[in-house]
Amino acid sequence: KEGDALNNQINSLVQALISSKSSFNPTTCIDGPLFASIHFIGNTPLWEKIGAGAVRNIKGQKYTLDDNSFTNYAEIWGDNMCLKAVGKFSEIGPVQPVVDENNPFSSIASLFANKQSSLLPTPYDYEARVTGASISLWNKFTLNLSIEGTGTVRVLYADESLRIFLSPTDTNVTKGAGDWESEGLIVVQVRVGLVYDDWVDNL
């Protein structure tokens, strides 16, 4: 099938970017506007299931480094009805520091170098803690939802236009219902203005 062939090509490109193990600058690659989620590999996440197929539904995430806050955004019926989940994130660190077996001080040196540099290695983990959520109707009415939970966001690749995240574990929902994201989910996100040029950031 043509759709399957295209999907396989995209997955191959995703894996190539992950394999590059490129470093990233969180100031330009994580902080900023909404990045739209355009492709995923793994079990279908909850935010992908809730949208109506008859209209365009933008989904994605926005991270702000100044206060370590984030917004998860998912349109259900276009921007007439959307779900927003907000919370705080914090750094966990690199998954595996690079160690030169011939140099016992290499791990210490690499950690010191990373502290001096604005670049972070991949894969790199953040903890995300959702503290609340709401549903917005026609940008006029808001229904607050009692939802809380934690998860790990693993950065596999990130540049100023595109980033690839992995959920290394299932999301731990501590209040509210729903399996948000399953272990092994890979999500590809693109800076929203590159995909939807009519996007207006009200987040």
Side-chain angles (χ1 to χ4, degrees):
K1 295 180 180 180
E2 183 177 345
D4 291 340
L6 178 60
N7 197 59
N8 290 336
Q9 290 179 353
I10 294 173
N11 290 348
S12 295
L13 292 172
V14 170
Q15 293 300 332
L17 289 174
I18 294 172
S19 298
S20 70
K21 294 189 179 298
S22 302
S23 56
F24 69 99
N25 184 339
T27 303
T28 56
C29 304
I30 303 299
D31 184 67
L34 183 81
F35 273 59
S37 300
I38 61 168
H39 183 76
F40 67 89
I41 303 172
N43 292 333
T44 304
L46 180 61
W47 47 260
E48 181 67 19
K49 297 177 182 178
I50 62 176
V55 296
R56 183 186 78 176
N57 289 309
I58 299 174
K59 303 173 177 68
Q61 292 180 306
K62 177 178 181 177
Y63 289 87
T64 304
L65 291 181
D66 284 346
D67 58 1
N68 286 349
S69 67
F70 69 89
T71 301
N72 292 343
Y73 177 80
E75 293 181 350
I76 302 170
W77 189 267
D79 60 0
N80 292 315
M81 183 178 184
C82 59
L83 172 67
K84 300 177 185 177
V86 298
K88 297 288 187 177
F89 68 96
S90 58
E91 292 187 41
I92 297 176
V95 176
Q96 287 184 326
V98 178
V99 178
D100 182 353
E101 294 181 355
N102 297 319
N103 181 2
F105 301 104
S106 65
S107 60
I108 299 175
S110 64
L111 289 173
F112 180 77
N114 286 332
K115 288 294 184 181
Q116 302 301 312
S117 172
S118 59
L119 299 179
L120 299 177
T122 55
Y124 196 90
D125 282 358
Y126 292 88
E127 181 187 61
R129 182 177 298 274
V130 172
T131 56
S134 62
I135 291 179
S136 174
L137 298 173
W138 300 290
N139 294 313
K140 294 181 179 180
F141 308 102
T142 300
L143 173 64
N144 292 322
L145 304 175
S146 182
I147 295 177
E148 294 180 5
T150 58
T152 300
V153 179
R154 179 165 296 170
V155 182
L156 300 180
Y157 177 86
D159 61 34
E160 295 182 13
S161 301
L162 181 147
R163 57 198 188 196
I164 303 171
F165 291 160
L166 166 72
S167 296
T169 60
D170 291 345
T171 303
N172 179 28
V173 180
T174 56
K175 182 182 290 186
D179 297 323
W180 298 346
E181 294 183 352
S182 299
E183 177 182 350
L185 176 70
I186 294 175
V187 179
V188 180
Q189 299 180 345
V190 174
R191 189 176 288 262
V192 67
L194 299 176
V195 186
Y196 307 106
D197 58 8
D198 59 345
W199 166 261
V200 177
D201 192 350
N202 294 317
L203 300 180

